[in-house]
Amino acid sequence: MKKNKTFIIWFMLPCVLALVCMYLYPVLRTVMMSFFGIESVTAGMSEWSFNGFANYSKIFSSPTFQRAMRNIMVIWFLGGVIVLSFALLFSVIITSGIRLKKFFRAAIYLPNIVSAVALATMWIQYIYNQDYGLLNQMLRAVGLEGKNWLGTDMKFWAMLFAFIFGAVGYYMLIFINGIERIPADLYEAATIDGANKIQQFTRMTLPLLRGIFKTNITFWSVNCITFFLWSKMFSPVSTEAATIVPVVYLYDTVFGTVGNVQRDAGAGAAIGVVLALFVGLVYFVLNKVIRDDELEF
């Protein structure tokens, strides 16, 4: 018995060390840094000066951070409603027994295979371009005037729509997996009892997918919090208010911006803690609202 325990300990040791060094230590160090004044992320602890909650006061009083939070909340809520609605719709259609099921599933998921940089470039250069972009060509074809889709007043919505286009397929596959796990016998019994397709969807499919909804909302929250690449692709030269999100603000705070070399790693750590707390809050609320109790099949 003692040999077995020793073997288990040695077997688990590499995983435990990797977890501590690559996850636990960075998290704890980031939380500690958020309470100190630190110029560089590589500064030794001897160079840290205790600030208390001054870093949090600094970021929450910053108009730039407030704008970044408003942008990300719109992306999270409005984008989430659209993405998850279309993902659920496509998953229901594809699992309904239509022909060419595999083709449609692959076609909708295809944007997730393409590099996000390539996908964003495609939207910017070939769809939103004011001179030869697809959208303006379609408008001119019907006698309407083209728009500057990448102008200040339209850039955020153009970025959001492009991001939504590339995200639907990922969440669709998760919904499909959940729907395919529901026994077909339940639908056959419901049909015999006289339930139509809408009643089956609202009273059977949706309740049985509550765990899948929780998974998708959690994944969507994490993807929104790490929304960096799309913002940088739509504002490549300098950060713009129309596209700024908290992660971009964090990057600019820690490493400086064009024309502003002042760096504040402590405030950057505070931003990271706030974003982590947001995801944790979403997960906590989901656990309270959406229960994991499964129906007995």
Side-chain angles (χ1 to χ4, degrees), residues 6-21:
T6 303
F7 176 77
I8 293 174
I9 291 173
W10 281 106
F11 188 78
M12 294 177 58
L13 186 60
C15 295
V16 173
L17 290 176
L19 179 65
V20 170
C21 295

Side-chain angles (χ1 to χ4, degrees), residues 128 130 147-158 240 242-243:
Y128 291 140
Q130 190 173 3
K147 290 182 173 292
N148 182 12
W149 301 101
L150 298 179
T152 303
D153 57 335
M154 295 290 295
K155 183 174 287 190
F156 175 80
W157 300 109
E240 299 180 26
T243 60

Side-chain angles (χ1 to χ4, degrees), residues 26-241:
V27 168
L28 294 178
R29 184 180 175 89
T30 300
V31 174
M32 288 179 57
M33 289 174 62
S34 69
F35 295 102
F36 288 82
I38 309 168
E39 181 179 353
S40 173
V41 290
T42 59
M45 295 188 67
S46 60
E47 302 177 36
W48 296 10
S49 59
F50 184 72
N51 279 350
F53 288 95
N55 289 331
Y56 292 93
S57 299
K58 176 181 177 180
I59 63 173
F60 280 112
S61 62
S62 169
T64 306
F65 181 72
Q66 294 171 9
R67 178 62 184 268
M69 289 300 296
R70 286 197 297 270
N71 286 347
I72 203 64
M73 290 306 296
V74 172
I75 293 171
W76 177 76
F77 180 75
L78 181 60
V81 170
I82 297 174
V83 167
L84 296 184
S85 297
F86 275 99
L88 181 61
L89 174 64
F90 291 150
S91 64
V92 171
I93 294 174
I94 288 176
T95 55
S96 64
I98 62 171
R99 297 178 60 185
L100 302 177
K101 167 184 173 180
K102 294 182 178 179
F103 168 78
F104 288 117
R105 181 168 57 186
I108 297 172
Y109 185 74
L110 183 62
N112 292 270
I113 300 176
V114 180
S115 166
V117 175
L119 189 62
T121 302
M122 178 196 75
W123 279 91
I124 294 170
Q125 296 294 333
Y126 302 114
I127 297 180
Y128 291 140
N129 188 279
Q130 190 173 3
D131 297 323
Y132 54 82
L134 177 63
L135 285 179
N136 282 347
Q137 292 290 346
M138 293 174 61
L139 290 175
R140 294 187 183 108
V142 295
L144 298 177
E145 185 179 353
K147 290 182 173 292
N148 182 12
W149 301 101
L150 298 179
T152 303
D153 57 335
M154 295 290 295
K155 183 174 287 190
F156 175 80
W157 300 109
M159 178 184 68
L160 177 59
F161 186 83
F163 178 61
I164 288 173
F165 174 84
V168 170
Y170 176 80
Y171 300 95
M172 179 198 69
L173 287 188
I174 300 177
F175 275 128
I176 288 176
N177 179 263
I179 293 174
E180 290 180 341
R181 290 174 54 195
I182 301 175
D185 296 345
L186 292 179
Y187 292 103
E188 294 176 1
T191 302
I192 293 174
D193 290 338
N196 57 37
K197 293 297 182 181
I198 297 178
Q199 291 173 328
Q200 292 177 23
F201 175 74
T202 57
R203 300 183 182 182
M204 292 177 54
T205 305
L206 285 181
L208 292 172
L209 289 178
R210 55 184 177 271
I212 304 299
F213 270 103
K214 181 161 62 174
T215 299
N216 272 342
I217 295 174
T218 302
F219 284 175
W220 175 252
S221 301
V222 174
N223 287 339
C224 287
I225 289 302
T226 56
F227 191 94
F228 179 85
L229 187 145
W230 286 89
S231 178
K232 279 298 184 183
M233 289 298 297
F234 276 77
S235 300
V237 179
S238 60
T239 303
E240 299 180 26

Side-chain angles (χ1 to χ4, degrees), residues 266-282:
I271 299 170
V273 172
V274 170
L275 296 181
L277 289 176
F278 172 78
V279 175
L281 178 63
V282 170

Side-chain angles (χ1 to χ4, degrees), residues 236-256:
V237 179
S238 60
T239 303
E240 299 180 26
T243 60
I244 191 171
V245 290
V247 175
V248 174
Y249 180 68
L250 185 157
Y251 179 87
D252 291 343
T253 301
V254 174
F255 299 104

